[in-house]
Amino acid sequence: MCAEMEDGAENTHVAVELRKKFEEFKEGDDVAAVITQKTRLGIFCDINAEKDVLLNGPASFKRLLNINEKVNAKIQKIDLEQRRVSVEIPDWEQLVQSRKNSTKFEEFEVGDDIEAVVVLKSQAGTFCDINAEKDVLVNGPIRLKKLLKIGEKVKAKIQKIDLEKRRAFIDIPDLDQLVQGRSLPPKATPAQTESKLDSVEIKPGSSGVTISGLDLANVDVDYEKGTIRITLK
């Protein structure tokens, strides 16, 4: 959906994209989706809606998707009360059948040159997809890692492999040069933060707490500590 603005002096038309409210979708609708986030809570897509939606499906297939990848999906469920939507991909097997299976950590060696894609930035660190059995942690100065972008492809090296804990670490040799000229977005003022929380609703339940009304940028769950960190947009 687009709106046009006209400048009377120069008669210039500027197309402005308007995001659709969830009420404008119906369950079963075919939609074009773009993979935007891969988190511990799941994979999220942009379908030109008021906020990103959750992608349902087999975990073994979902992990083969790439950030910024475009896929054809269907609206599976719409929850207007909680302001959330889930979608599914009807042709999962066809979509990922030609993709190679993820590589076990045993197949890597310290010092290997690899291509990595930034998939998650959280309090625990910055994580990349290197087509391994799980995402790996990026080592390096925090001030520089904060400037990396979700979906960005970088050249990296395997720095450490911990087979006992099934995890690996990488570093980006030219990180300084890669983020040169970038700056962090300004922090929200107290007034801006308060306005985001005005519409938040918290409902206690028998097995947990439901929070609605938040426009989330990222959700990071630490299952070992039993904590959830939520970052607002």
Side-chain angles (χ1 to χ4, degrees):
M1 184 185 302
C2 290
E4 285 191 345
M5 297 187 299
E6 184 173 323
D7 185 326
E10 300 181 0
N11 198 32
T12 302
H13 291 270
V14 180
V16 180
E17 185 180 35
L18 300 177
R19 290 190 167 268
K20 298 170 71 175
K21 293 290 185 182
F22 286 151
E23 285 84 354
E24 300 178 60
F25 294 93
K26 294 184 297 183
E27 292 181 0
D29 278 355
D30 294 311
V31 292
V34 179
I35 309 301
T36 56
Q37 291 189 73
K38 297 171 75 175
T39 75
R40 289 173 173 81
L41 286 185
I43 293 180
F44 292 85
C45 299
D46 179 0
I47 61 169
N48 193 39
E50 58 189 69
K51 63 181 181 179
D52 290 348
V53 301
L54 183 67
L55 175 63
N56 285 332
S60 58
F61 288 166
K62 288 192 294 184
R63 73 180 319 276
L64 297 176
L65 295 172
N66 301 310
I67 296 292
N68 294 329
E69 181 174 359
K70 296 179 180 179
V71 297
N72 295 319
K74 278 185 178 290
I75 301 292
Q76 187 180 53
K77 184 178 180 182
I78 301 174
D79 186 338
L80 296 179
E81 182 180 351
Q82 302 294 333
R83 308 307 298 174
R84 61 189 181 192
V85 168
S86 58
V87 299
E88 60 181 349
I89 298 176
D91 59 346
W92 269 116
E93 293 190 12
Q94 181 179 352
L95 180 66
V96 301
Q97 65 180 353
S98 61
R99 305 183 187 189
K100 59 184 180 180
N101 293 326
S102 57
T103 306
K104 294 291 185 183
F105 284 145
E106 284 84 353
E107 299 178 57
F108 292 97
E109 291 184 4
V110 173
D112 279 352
D113 292 310
I114 46 145
E115 184 175 84
V117 179
V118 181
V119 295
L120 177 63
K121 295 168 68 177
S122 71
Q123 294 292 331
T126 300
F127 292 83
C128 285
D129 179 1
I130 61 169
N131 194 41
E133 59 188 73
K134 61 194 290 190
D135 295 338
V136 299
L137 186 67
V138 181
N139 280 335
I142 294 177
R143 62 182 178 83
L144 298 181
K145 291 189 294 182
K146 285 182 176 180
L147 298 174
L148 292 172
K149 302 174 183 177
I150 296 295
E152 183 172 11
K153 292 182 180 180
V154 298
K155 295 187 181 299
K157 283 183 176 287
I158 300 291
Q159 186 182 58
K160 181 181 177 182
I161 301 172
D162 187 335
L163 295 179
E164 183 178 347
K165 295 184 178 179
R166 309 308 301 175
R167 62 185 183 184
F169 303 83
I170 63 173
D171 64 6
I172 303 172
D174 60 347
L175 183 57
D176 280 5
Q177 182 180 349
L178 182 65
V179 301
Q180 188 174 5
R182 299 183 189 179
S183 59
L184 291 172
K187 292 184 178 181
T189 64
Q192 291 172 323
T193 304
E194 288 172 7
S195 66
K196 290 182 179 180
L197 298 177
D198 286 344
S199 60
V200 174
E201 183 178 1
I202 302 177
K203 293 182 178 180
S206 58
S207 59
V209 175
T210 299
I211 304 176
S212 60
L214 289 175
D215 191 9
L216 303 183
N218 187 62
V219 178
D220 181 38
V221 180
D222 189 325
Y223 293 99
E224 293 182 359
K225 296 181 180 179
T227 60
I228 299 177
R229 293 183 181 272
I230 297 175
T231 305
L232 301 180
K233 288 184 179 178

